[in-house]
Amino acid sequence: MDSDDDSPFGYDAFRRTCPSHTVLEMLASKWVYLVVCALRKGRLRNGELARKLEGITPKMLAQTLRVLERDGLVRREVFPVIPPRVEYELTELGQNLGGLLTQIRAWAEQHAPDIKDARAKAIAVNEGDWAA
Amino acid sequence: MDSDDDSPFGYDAFRRTCPSHTVLEMLASKWVYLVVCALRKGRLRNGELARKLEGITPKMLAQTLRVLERDGLVRREVFPVIPPRVEYELTELGQNLGGLLTQIRAWAEQHAPDIKDARAKAIAVNEGDWAA
C-alpha cells in the first residue's frame, strides 16, 4: 500500500483497523449529517429535532443521538421537571464537525440538479441497452 | 417547519422528498468517501482501488463505482485489450466533491483520538451504571 501524504496525523482512514476508519463509518449516515446541521444554531429538544428531520423515526433519532453522544459530539441535558425535558446541543467538537457537514449539505443542495440529470441519463442509457 | 437560511439553492436536505436529501443518502457511505478520496490523485484501475481500500469486497467496490458513475461523479473507461482494462477517474463534479470529502477524511484522522477517548468514557459510564 502506498504511503499517503494526505494524512499528516499518523492515521490513515484507508486502513480498516485505523480508528479514523471507524469515525468515517459513524459519519456515513444521512441522519448524523442532518442532526449535526440542525443543532448548529443552538440546542433543541427531542420533539423539535423530530419535526425538523422529516421522515426520521423516533427509534432512528434516538439511535443517532446516542451515537453522537457516545462520540462526544452532542451533549444531552435532562431537566428534572414533569414531564421531563431533554435537550441536546453540540459540544465544541460537534460544532467543529458541524462546519464541515454544513458544507456537505450545501454541496448536496447546490449540485442536486446535476446529479438528478446524471441519474436521468443513466436510466436512459440502461433503457437503450435493453432495447438493443 | 421553519425556513432555513442555510439553503440558498431552493433545495432543502431536511425535506425527505427533496432531491438533495437523496444526494445525502448517496454520500452516506464510507466507501463513497474513500473511493472519491482515492481517485483524487488520478485515474485508477479496479485492482488498484481494491488494494487501496482495505477491507472492501469486490461486490461492494463494484456497487460503489456503479453509484458514483450513475451520479456523474466517476467516469469509467474500458480499453479494448486482452484481458480488458477498466479505469476509473473523477469527473469535474467528482473532483469538486473530492475537495470536501478529503476534508472530512482529514477531520476523521485528526479527531480520531478525541472520539476514541469519548467512546472509552462512554463505556466506563455504562459499566458504572451496571455496577450501581
Side-chain angles (χ1 to χ4, degrees):
Chain A
M1 202 156 298
D2 53 335
S3 76
D4 202 318
D5 49 5
D6 284 345
S7 305
F9 307 107
Y11 287 90
D12 180 359
F14 284 110
R15 285 190 291 117
R16 125 182 87 164
T17 51
C18 180
S20 65
H21 189 96
T22 69
V23 176
L24 278 194
E25 280 171 342
M26 177 271 291
L27 293 178
S29 153
K30 68 173 177 180
W31 297 124
V32 163
Y33 288 170
L34 291 173
V35 167
V36 172
C37 288
L39 290 174
R40 274 201 87 201
K41 289 180 187 164
R43 47 169 61 213
L44 290 174
R45 295 160 73 159
N46 200 76
E48 292 170 317
L49 275 169
R51 271 189 299 280
K52 194 156 174 61
L53 277 68
E54 204 184 288
I56 198 168
T57 61
K59 189 180 162 185
M60 189 51 80
L61 178 57
Q63 197 172 308
T64 304
L65 286 166
R66 203 155 48 228
V67 165
L68 289 170
E69 203 190 343
R70 177 202 68 187
D71 286 1
L73 299 163
V74 160
R75 196 178 297 113
R76 178 172 173 268
E77 196 169 355
V78 184
F79 296 87
V81 291
I82 296 173
R85 195 168 92 228
V86 183
E87 289 185 356
Y88 296 92
E89 67 178 348
L90 294 180
T91 61
E92 203 180 320
L93 189 62
Q95 283 289 357
N96 183 295
L97 175 65
L100 267 183
L101 294 192
T102 297
Q103 285 183 61
I104 294 275
R105 185 187 143 209
W107 190 93
E109 290 171 351
Q110 185 179 359
H111 294 288
D114 305 324
I115 290 179
K116 229 173 114 180
D117 287 352
R119 286 180 187 172
K121 270 186 209 145
I123 289 171
V125 167
N126 280 338
E127 282 172 355
D129 284 351
W130 280 106
Chain B
M1 202 156 298
D2 54 333
S3 76
D4 201 318
D5 51 3
D6 283 345
S7 304
F9 308 106
Y11 288 89
D12 180 358
F14 284 110
R15 285 190 290 116
R16 125 183 88 163
T17 52
C18 180
S20 66
H21 189 95
T22 69
V23 175
L24 277 195
E25 281 172 342
M26 178 273 291
L27 292 178
S29 152
K30 68 173 178 181
W31 297 124
V32 163
Y33 290 169
L34 291 173
V35 167
V36 171
C37 288
L39 290 174
R40 274 201 86 204
K41 289 180 187 162
R43 46 171 59 212
L44 290 175
R45 295 162 72 160
N46 200 74
E48 291 169 319
L49 275 169
R51 272 189 298 280
K52 196 157 173 59
L53 278 68
E54 205 184 286
I56 198 168
T57 62
K59 189 180 162 185
M60 191 48 82
L61 178 55
Q63 197 173 309
T64 305
L65 287 165
R66 206 156 44 230
V67 165
L68 290 171
E69 205 190 340
R70 178 200 69 188
D71 286 2
L73 299 162
V74 159
R75 197 178 296 114
R76 179 172 173 268
E77 196 170 356
V78 183
F79 296 87
V81 291
I82 297 172
R85 197 169 88 227
V86 184
E87 290 186 355
Y88 296 90
E89 65 178 350
L90 294 179
T91 61
E92 204 180 318
L93 189 62
Q95 283 288 357
N96 183 293
L97 175 66
L100 268 182
L101 295 193
T102 297
Q103 285 183 59
I104 294 276
R105 186 186 141 209
W107 190 93
E109 290 171 351
Q110 186 180 358
H111 294 288
D114 304 324
I115 290 179
K116 231 173 110 177
D117 286 353
R119 286 180 186 172
K121 270 185 211 146
I123 289 171
V125 168
N126 280 338
E127 281 172 356
D129 284 351
W130 280 107

